[in-house]
Amino acid sequence: MPVARSGNDEVISTYETQRDANLKKKLDEAKLQWVEVYELSKQSGVSNKWSRKALENLGREFPGEYTPLRQEIVQGTDAP
């Protein structure tokens, strides 16, 4: 959501530029961690909530690079 224009466009522009740069930096750091979790789980043949969450985050933030898998359907049974 853009900041309300208060007459000082230069200050607002500087703020928004710095905000966007900070967000990109944090998102790049998160991407490195998500990729690490995803790659390690793939190498180990592990699929758990953390590997799925990492892939989900990668797919949401970097849709051109990663496509998350759909959650598998798990049905219970009434039989003992």
Side-chain angles (χ1 to χ4, degrees), residues 13-41:
S13 177
T14 301
Y15 165 78
E16 289 177 342
T17 301
Q18 185 63 44
R19 177 201 62 197
D20 294 346
N22 287 339
L23 179 60
K24 182 176 179 349
K25 179 182 173 190
K26 296 296 182 185
L27 195 55
D28 289 343
E29 291 171 6
K31 181 181 180 181
L32 291 175
Q33 293 176 7
W34 293 332
V35 168
E36 182 180 9
V37 169
Y38 174 65
E39 292 296 327
L40 286 173
S41 67

Side-chain angles (χ1 to χ4, degrees), residues 38-72:
Y38 174 65
E39 292 296 327
L40 286 173
S41 67
K42 197 163 96 171
Q43 289 172 1
S44 303
V46 173
S47 177
N48 59 25
K49 73 177 185 176
W50 301 113
S51 61
R52 288 188 300 270
K53 188 69 170 170
L55 186 55
E56 177 185 315
N57 290 339
L58 286 167
R60 182 184 64 242
E61 298 297 335
F62 307 99
E65 298 176 53
Y66 297 92
T67 304
L69 301 174
R70 293 180 182 237
Q71 178 66 33
E72 64 272 5

